[in-house]
Amino acid sequence: MGQLFGQFDPVSHEWTDGVVANTFREQASAGNDDRRWVLFDGPVDTLWIESMNTVLDDNKKLCLMSGEIIQLSNSMNLIFETNDLSQASPATVSRCGMIYME
């Protein structure tokens, strides 16, 4: 999970951002209103998808373990491309629009 969202170094206690934190911060701070898409491609796992619930609800905020909160812009959109939602909670599923393709 540290590679996705970020983590504290156990020795130095310094915070290192993960891929999601860096991507969201970069996209949210872009100066224009062009539509932006962030694509998550792969299996949905309860360990990381539950951390996305505050992003998926009306607040549209990513809350990191460092205490930082990244507010998504109105032009940001997320896509989750996955084989199934067997590990996603009803709370997570209810926050997303679903498209089923065979």
Side-chain angles (χ1 to χ4, degrees):
M1 279 242 308
Q3 291 178 343
L4 278 178
F5 297 106
Q7 62 189 359
F8 282 107
D9 182 284
V11 176
S12 67
H13 300 289
E14 291 182 4
W15 175 259
T16 303
D17 282 331
V19 175
V20 173
N22 280 328
T23 302
F24 279 23
R25 188 180 299 108
E26 178 184 321
Q27 299 299 322
S29 64
N32 56 32
D33 289 334
D34 292 343
R35 182 143 322 265
R36 302 182 180 281
W37 298 91
V38 180
L39 175 66
F40 293 86
D41 183 14
V44 171
D45 186 85
T46 55
L47 293 176
W48 68 268
I49 196 64
E50 293 302 318
S51 299
M52 297 291 288
N53 280 344
T54 57
V55 174
L56 298 173
D57 66 14
D58 292 338
N59 295 326
K60 294 176 91 176
K61 294 179 181 179
L62 177 64
C63 301
L64 301 173
M65 289 175 46
S66 65
E68 181 182 5
I69 298 173
I70 301 173
Q71 176 72 52
L72 275 65
S73 67
N74 289 331
S75 61
M76 287 180 66
N77 297 281
L78 305 178
I79 295 178
F80 297 93
E81 184 178 351
T82 183
N83 288 336
D84 62 55
L85 294 171
S86 63
Q87 299 298 312
S89 70
T92 301
V93 173
S94 69
R95 290 176 166 93
C96 299
M98 303 295 159
I99 299 174
Y100 178 74
M101 300 171 103
E102 289 191 70

